[in-house]
Amino acid sequence: MPVLRPARSSDLAALLAIYAPEVERGTASWEWEPPDLEEFGRRFAAQQAQGQPWACWAAKRRPRIGYAWCVEDSVYVADWARARGIGRRLLEALIAAAAERGARQMVAVIGDSANAASIALHRACGFTHVGTLRAIGFKAGRWLDSVLMQRPLGEGSASPPGPPRG
């Protein structure tokens, strides 16, 4: 089983090699063209500046201060790693890291309601379905739904949060 650790800048080419095929052939990402390594590096640097993990990533959901305690997850795994529990280990580690940093809610925005594997993974990690936005994206010649799932972190909404980070 692979060892999980936060990504380093020296990992970016390997991470882009996992992400780019999903952009080119999949519907999890709605980018039409994969970013180049320079752009991917900028995204990595932005996450690092916010103190967010990047083995997979949890980005602030929205930039306004009131959203400071909500993050959106992104988990991509290489083809060889699918259906081996690696995606679950990554998502569980991401949930723990986001909670440790003070996030109270995690949102999954799953591209394509036909992405049964991602929906099942999120459900297995405690996410609940909170809505489906029908036909809001267009990629690969077809309209795509966006499935929204949500999971409380730590105390969730049971108490006020601490001061915002990042």
Side-chain angles (χ1 to χ4, degrees), residues 28-51:
S29 169
W30 290 3
E31 290 191 77
W32 286 16
E33 299 290 329
D36 61 20
L37 190 55
E38 185 177 326
E39 170 58 22
F40 208 59
R42 280 192 290 274
R43 295 176 188 185
F44 174 77
Q47 287 295 106
Q48 295 293 296
Q50 291 181 18

Side-chain angles (χ1 to χ4, degrees), residues 27-28 110-124 147 149:
T27 56
I110 299 168
D112 194 4
S113 58
N115 193 340
S118 184
I119 293 167
L121 168 64
H122 283 85
R123 188 174 296 116
V147 176
M149 299 182 80

Side-chain angles (χ1 to χ4, degrees), residues 50 52 58-73 98 101-107 109 148 150 153 156 161-166:
Q50 291 181 18
Q52 300 295 340
K60 286 186 177 178
R61 176 80 177 120
R62 305 263 177 157
R64 293 184 184 96
I65 191 68
Y67 293 104
W69 300 271
C70 182
V71 294
E72 181 180 327
D73 77 279
R101 287 171 174 79
R104 292 294 192 89
Q105 300 289 331
M106 184 174 279
V107 174
V109 180
L148 304 175
Q150 182 176 347
L153 304 176
R165 294 183 182 179

Side-chain angles (χ1 to χ4, degrees), residues 85-159:
I86 295 170
R88 183 171 184 154
R89 285 182 60 211
L90 283 168
L91 184 53
E92 287 172 346
L94 184 62
I95 289 166
E100 202 173 279
R101 287 171 174 79
R104 292 294 192 89
Q105 300 289 331
M106 184 174 279
V107 174
V109 180
I110 299 168
D112 194 4
S113 58
N115 193 340
S118 184
I119 293 167
L121 168 64
H122 283 85
R123 188 174 296 116
C125 289
F127 287 74
T128 57
H129 181 266
V130 294
T132 301
L133 303 172
R134 303 277 178 210
I136 66 160
F138 190 83
K139 184 174 179 184
R142 65 187 179 101
W143 288 101
L144 300 172
D145 297 341
S146 185
V147 176
L148 304 175
M149 299 182 80
Q150 182 176 347
R151 182 193 195 286
L153 304 176
E155 293 182 35
S157 61
S159 66

